[in-house]
Amino acid sequence: MEKNHSHHHDLHKEETHTHDKHAGHHTSDFKKKFIISLFLTLPLVVLSAAIQDIFNYQLVFPGTDIVQLLLASVLYFYCGLPFLKGAVSEVRDHAIGMMSLISVAISVAYFYSVATVFGFHGMDFFWELGTLISIMLLGHWLEMRSIMGASKALSALAELIPKKAIKLVGEKQIEVSINEIQPGDKLLVRANDKIPTDGIIRSGETHIDESMLTGESRPVKRVISDPVIGGSINGNGTITIQVTGVGDESYLQTVIDIVQNAQNAKSRTQNLADRAAKWLTYISLGAGFLTLVVWLVLGRELSFAIMMMVGVMVIACPHALGLAIPLVASNSISKVASNGVLIRNRTAFENSGKLTTVVFDKTGTLTVGNFTVVRVLSLVENYSKEDVLRRVTSLEQFSEHPIASAITNYGKMHEVEKHDVSHFESLTAKGVKGVIEGEGNAVLSPKALADFNLSPKEQEETAARTVVYLVISSELVGQVELADEVRQESKQAVKALKDNHIKVFMATGDNALVAKQVSDELQLDGFFAELKPEEKLQILTDLQAKGEYVAMVGDGVNDAPALATANVGVAIGSGTEVANEAADIILIQNNPEDVSKVILWGKLTKRKMMQNLAWATLYNVIAIPVAAGVLYPFILPPAISAAIMSLSTIIVAINAQLLLKEIK
């Protein structure tokens, strides 16, 4: 399947409300509250009547209940505040999850225990309250610590634009803030500077690097009346531009808007623990109230029925569930980081095993991202390939053109000895010429050959490459071909993905001939070429609309909207900060092969999470009915519940550690 996709698509914007249970909190908040909670919980455990019964000691003094009440109140209202706020937010957003479950358990435990202090018949749950809050704070701290933080894609995009520009007022050059620039202003852009805003060249000519904005692998020649894009990098020529687009009208602002819309619309799957917690909240409330009603109907006193109800609600929030996912996530994310992969969005990583399609950017992702010599040919018998390269390198060393730089670097890498060159001359938009060993030599572009009444021999494999020709005394004697070289790892990456029955496509801003060559070389399932950022995004949404679970792998500003929209966005670490910030996963080693490893690691992590959830849920399946009194007259004492809870937590922790051996 081959596609040349170059026409404009309308964006289909979808408003999807998402809920962030950690909104408004920082990693340090949970850590601080966890430490405080731990210190407050220790005396509650020591003073608990249930614990004293188990370990056969007695520690009672006047005001014991009041001390416990004060400690528990600080625990509930200060350390438990993130959960209470989170529960309110979940209820408001119709997204019942872990925060709601924890809040139900700690609220029931606290207020029931307060009632026992003031005369209500029953045993308090203060120590259960403390351990529950402490372990849940630990779990959320681990969870937040393992995630790199909120996306800064929009601010990173804004950083591409320089803060100052040189404005021309008559003969004067005045440095002004970028915010002071208006359409119609004339700006001076010196060699190698960033272009401050969209505009039209009014004087000078240059080659501009637009690769990280448009995906075009070659520096683009720009002359008078040609447009330029704000944020691109000027080459070796000084130019004057007339401003055409500032603020909302600029190309870069269009990209910013697309990324913002994509991030707002991207529905991040509610994670496993929250989905389990949602049902456990309903089960906890339902089972608790059912327990209360049944015991009252059976004629037991209100205090007994309430005690049984509270036991069910407290036990329904197992400590293991609070650690089941965060421990696995923390271990997994730290382990894959040591293997060169940074996880920014844990949910996307967990779901990477569901991928059916991977879409790669070309420039800098499947390819190296730099022009390089890929072939040297001699076209006549009396000149070898080495002769051709030596003469071309000797002439190009005096040129500042990007193609010349690539050839010169190639010559240095291969330790090519240069000829002495005299009468060197740069031929504008045509090439260079000079005298070597008494003969006229010229390195020319294909179009410039016509001036010498020469025509290149058409070769299919050179159609997607940049070619320069060596002419000696009006004879065409050789050619040098340049291209953006395919990474060595790309073939293995594509093969590994296909072996996992995952379709592989390429979406690039580069031209169709170049895209086809790379697609054929890598044996991709198809390609899309000459794309604008919004069109890359449309490719993703079209595939998703067909039921595909899609990963986007890219490195440039033009990839950011697609990275933010994909089910799993993967950035090559050597790419732009914008791409890294918009992605869910970053490959530090710049190796496309790591995409298949991420999928494998994601599957292992998800499986381990499911195992832990299964164990944590099994605890509930057994403990809730027993706590409700189905085995009456046997009643599950709080101390026994605590022992089961501890065993469950230990098993979950050990299982999470085993993941470290599985990720290699």
Side-chain angles (χ1 to χ4, degrees), residues 50 79 138 155 184 275:
C79 298
L138 173 62
S155 59
R275 292 208 300 275

Side-chain angles (χ1 to χ4, degrees), residues 193-380:
D193 281 355
K194 279 186 179 179
I195 293 173
T197 188
D198 295 359
I200 301 290
I201 296 179
R202 293 307 180 201
S203 68
E205 61 180 51
T206 188
H207 283 78
I208 295 177
D209 181 0
E210 299 177 352
S211 58
M212 69 178 179
L213 290 169
T214 66
E216 172 65 52
S217 55
R218 312 172 191 188
V220 182
K221 183 176 177 63
R222 294 285 185 243
V223 297
I224 292 173
S225 298
D226 282 347
V228 294
I229 301 173
S232 56
I233 300 172
N234 188 21
N236 292 324
T238 297
I239 56 174
T240 300
I241 68 169
Q242 186 168 18
V243 177
T244 57
V246 295
D248 294 342
E249 299 171 1
S250 68
Y251 173 92
L252 201 57
Q253 184 61 46
T254 301
V255 176
I256 289 174
D257 291 342
I258 293 169
V259 172
Q260 195 165 33
N261 290 334
Q263 287 182 335
N264 290 340
K266 185 172 184 179
S267 177
R268 300 191 184 275
T269 310
Q270 194 179 29
N271 68 45
L272 286 172
D274 273 341
R275 292 208 300 275
K278 175 182 178 179
W279 289 107
L280 279 175
T281 302
Y282 296 146
I283 292 169
S284 169
L285 292 171
F289 287 119
L290 181 62
T291 300
L292 175 70
V293 171
V294 168
W295 282 114
L296 289 175
V297 169
L298 292 175
R300 295 305 299 261
E301 61 273 16
L302 179 62
S303 61
F304 178 84
I306 291 177
M307 182 188 74
M308 298 298 286
M309 177 188 75
V310 171
V312 167
M313 289 186 170
V314 171
I315 286 172
C317 185
H319 300 55
L321 183 61
L323 285 178
I325 300 301
L327 273 178
V328 174
S330 182
N331 286 348
S332 174
I333 289 170
S334 60
K335 182 67 173 180
V336 301
S338 68
N339 282 277
V341 177
L342 297 180
I343 307 301
R344 292 175 47 80
N345 178 351
R346 201 192 78 201
T347 305
F349 175 58
E350 291 170 18
N351 291 329
S352 58
K354 294 160 61 176
L355 288 170
T356 59
T357 301
V358 175
V359 179
F360 283 94
D361 171 50
K362 180 185 75 68
T363 308
T365 303
L366 290 174
T367 64
V368 176
N370 296 319
F371 248 173
T372 186
V373 173
V374 293
R375 189 163 69 157
V376 178
L377 283 179
S378 170
L379 303 177
V380 293

